[in-house]
């Protein structure tokens, strides 16, 4: 098992950040760590929702939501032979906005090996996602947010 994580403080209300973060179809607009997202089940995200997510340099992976507490966190998993990746997206409100904690855990027979081989790109992609989310949340006024449920 191999764990990667990053955290960032965002000067925007947690509700605003949650709306951006869970509108996964729009991730390619604000993070270069995601090339495309295809919803395999209707959005918005809910437990059981699945998306096919493509990242630069990698084959597309299907991610399925396994836990979701609105406004607080969601967890999704992706499976491949010998390995499971579990990613968590957590929001904690603060007086000035919120803190976002992102993590990925590689589990299974090949999880440690894949995690070791992918350690630099995994950490870089987590940090890109955190920076992109921060930029998007702090640069868009609340009234410009429109939740895309399609």
């Amino acid at each position: 098992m191999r764990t990667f994580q990053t955290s960032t403080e965002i000067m925007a209300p947690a509700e605003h950040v949650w709306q951006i973060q869970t509108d996964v179809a729009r991730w390619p607009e604000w993070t270069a760590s995601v090339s495309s997202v295809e919803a395999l089940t209707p959005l918005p995200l809910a437990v059981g929702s699945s998306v096919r997510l493509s990242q630069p340099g990698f084959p597309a992976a299907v991610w399925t939501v396994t836990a979701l507490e609105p406004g607080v966190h969601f967890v999704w998993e992706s499976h491949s032979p010998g390995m499971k990746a579990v990613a968590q997206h957590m929001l904690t409100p603060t007086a000035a906005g919120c803190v976002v904690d992102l993590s990925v855990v590689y589990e299974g027979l090949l999880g440690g090996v894949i995690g070791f081989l992918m350690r630099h790109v995994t950490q870089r992609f987590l940090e890109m996602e955190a920076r992109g989310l921060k930029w998007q949340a702090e640069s868009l006024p609340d009234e410009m947010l429109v939740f895309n449920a399609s």
Side-chain angles (χ1 to χ4, degrees):
M1 182 166 61
R2 186 97 177 186
T3 302
F4 301 89
Q5 56 191 13
T6 193
S7 181
T8 191
E9 187 170 359
I10 299 178
M11 300 301 155
E15 301 81 21
H16 179 92
V17 177
W18 177 257
Q19 185 175 0
I20 294 166
Q21 189 173 47
T22 57
D23 189 2
V24 296
R26 298 186 70 176
W27 282 17
E29 297 175 17
W30 54 261
T31 180
S33 65
V34 176
S35 307
S36 68
V37 176
E38 175 191 358
L40 301 177
T41 56
L43 295 176
L45 289 181
V47 172
S49 296
S50 292
V51 301
R52 180 174 290 112
L53 191 137
S54 296
Q55 295 184 280
F58 296 97
V62 173
W63 289 86
T64 301
V65 177
T66 57
L68 185 143
E69 184 177 345
V72 179
H73 80 280
F74 77 91
V75 179
W76 59 9
E77 298 179 357
S78 180
H79 298 261
S80 58
M83 189 194 79
K84 173 172 74 170
V86 180
Q88 179 165 298
H89 305 75
M90 169 93 54
L91 293 176
T92 305
T94 64
C98 64
V99 172
V100 173
D101 294 296
L102 306 174
S103 66
V104 175
V105 178
Y106 292 110
E107 301 175 350
L109 186 60
L110 298 177
V113 173
I114 299 296
F116 177 77
L117 294 173
M118 306 268 300
R119 66 191 182 281
H120 297 296
V121 72
T122 299
Q123 191 63 46
R124 187 172 80 239
F125 280 5
L126 278 175
E127 291 168 6
M128 288 169 70
E129 183 181 333
R131 280 193 311 271
L133 181 59
K134 178 179 176 65
W135 174 83
Q136 184 77 351
E138 291 179 353
S139 66
L140 283 179
D142 290 340
E143 59 272 10
M144 289 187 65
L145 283 175
V146 177
F147 190 76
N148 182 3
S150 59

